[in-house]
Amino acid sequence: SCHYFTIDDEFIYENFYADFGPLNLAMLYRYCQKLHRKLKSQSLARKKIIHYTSYDSRRRANSAYLIGCYVIIYHKKTPEEAFRPLATSQNPPFLPFRDAAMGPCTYNLTLLHCFQAVYKAVQFGFLDFSKFNVDEYEHYERVENGDFNWIVPGKFLAFAGPRNKSK
C-alpha cells in the first residue's frame, strides 16, 4: 500500500527571467516539515510514501532538490549519497539550474552543487531548521521588505540589486 504526494502546484519558484530554481529555503523548510509529518504519521505508518512529479524538467529538478536536501539535513547523508539514487534512475538527466540574469547562462548549477552547498551550510551551522524562522525569512524575502537573505547569519547579507521598476 502506498501514499502518493506531489508538490508541483504547492511550491512554485518565482522566476526573474529563464531561471527556475532551486526553490528557496522557506520552501525547502516547508517541504521537510511536510515529509517529516508524513513519515511520522500513524495513519501512513504501514504505507510507502512516494513523492512524484511531472515530466517537466524544471519541476523534476526542483523535486529532486527537495528530496535530496531532506536526506542530507535529516538523514545525515553526504551530497554524493543523496544524489546517487536520483542519478541512477532511468529518466533523463536533471536540468541544471541557472542564474537569474538575462542572456545566456555562463555556468551550470547542478543538483550535486546544491547538495554540496546545503551539506556545508548544515555542517557549519548556517542552516539549522530547529532554529529557522520561516515567517521572518519570507517577510524579508519580499521586495517591499528589503528582498534580502542572510548567507552567513549576522555576517554576510545578500540582496537584490536596484531596479528602475518593481516586478
Side-chain angles (χ1 to χ4, degrees), residues 44-56:
L44 300 176
R46 296 178 184 255
K47 295 184 178 190
K48 291 180 183 177
I49 311 286
I50 299 174
H51 171 171
Y52 71 94
T53 189
S54 72
Y55 288 111
D56 178 86

Side-chain angles (χ1 to χ4, degrees), residues 24-150:
N24 70 28
L25 288 180
M27 292 184 206
L28 175 57
Y29 173 83
R30 291 185 191 285
Y31 174 81
C32 288
Q33 296 303 303
K34 178 185 197 91
L35 183 54
H36 199 65
R37 281 191 305 274
K38 288 180 181 299
L39 292 170
K40 297 293 181 193
S41 168
Q42 290 295 337
S43 64
L44 300 176
R46 296 178 184 255
K47 295 184 178 190
K48 291 180 183 177
I49 311 286
I50 299 174
H51 171 171
Y52 71 94
T53 189
S54 72
Y55 288 111
D56 178 86
S57 57
R58 291 172 166 96
R59 287 184 174 179
R60 282 184 65 242
N62 276 311
S63 286
Y65 164 77
L66 293 174
I67 193 67
C69 289
Y70 178 86
V71 299
I72 289 167
I73 295 166
Y74 290 97
H75 294 273
K76 311 298 183 216
K77 299 292 184 185
T78 66
E80 294 74 18
E81 289 170 329
F83 185 67
R84 195 171 299 118
L86 299 168
T88 58
S89 70
Q90 299 297 329
N91 294 310
F94 290 102
L95 189 64
F97 299 109
R98 56 157 296 149
D99 64 14
M102 275 201 291
C105 183
T106 58
Y107 68 92
N108 288 326
L109 180 65
T110 67
L111 275 174
L112 188 55
H113 292 141
C114 294
F115 294 162
Q116 290 165 337
V118 167
Y119 181 79
K120 286 287 186 186
V122 169
Q123 203 175 32
F124 289 114
F126 299 149
L127 179 60
D128 181 350
F129 279 162
S130 70
K131 298 175 185 172
F132 185 72
N133 185 331
V134 68
D135 295 325
E136 179 181 63
Y137 178 92
E138 289 177 325
H139 174 82
Y140 288 114
E141 179 191 50
R142 295 173 39 203
V143 173
E144 61 270 24
N145 299 322
D147 192 11
F148 66 82
N149 290 290
W150 286 105

